[in-house]
Amino acid sequence: MKITALILSSLTLLVSPLSLAQWPPETGAKVPGNTLELPTTLKPISVPLDKLLNEGATLITAQRDTNGPTVTLRRGKHYIMCSVMGAVSGEDQNIATSRCYEMN
């Protein structure tokens, strides 16, 4: 009986209104509790993702995006965001590529 109550309470947490919130929040100053959108400087770096990792950069986050994975790395005091484009057979994009930007 206690296990059933624990399972039901866990499921309630999974479908709570907080889990249904849209992320990121809507754009616009009229959205309650929303922060301003501020310019962010992204410095393009000409080092591929595999080389960054081989040189000791640490992977912090990874997520699947529409075109492939997007990862965040830390190299020294810098944070780097990289988008990876996978190879597409039968097209010009026949090898995986990455596009990386330093965020600070």
Side-chain angles (χ1 to χ4, degrees):
M1 186 65 172
K2 290 181 183 180
I3 293 175
T4 304
L6 180 63
I7 292 171
L8 289 175
S9 64
S10 298
L11 289 174
T12 303
L13 289 174
L14 291 175
V15 292
S16 71
L18 293 176
S19 66
L20 299 176
Q22 177 185 352
W23 188 257
E26 266 184 74
T27 302
K30 293 183 180 183
V31 177
N34 204 5
T35 186
L36 296 176
E37 292 182 22
L38 302 171
T40 298
T41 303
L42 296 175
K43 177 184 169 191
I45 57 174
S46 57
V47 179
L49 175 58
D50 57 342
K51 187 171 183 181
L52 290 168
L53 292 169
N54 289 335
E55 292 176 349
T58 305
L59 182 66
I60 297 174
T61 66
Q63 67 183 38
R64 185 174 165 204
D65 202 350
T66 54
N67 296 320
T70 298
V71 299
T72 307
L73 309 169
R74 182 170 184 188
R75 179 175 69 168
K77 294 181 179 181
H78 299 283
Y79 291 90
I80 300 168
M81 179 178 57
C82 296
S83 296
V84 181
M85 294 287 295
V88 180
S89 61
E91 292 187 15
D92 290 343
Q93 180 74 23
N94 58 8
I95 60 168
T97 59
S98 59
R99 183 178 289 185
C100 299
Y101 300 90
E102 218 169 54
M103 293 186 280
N104 66 329

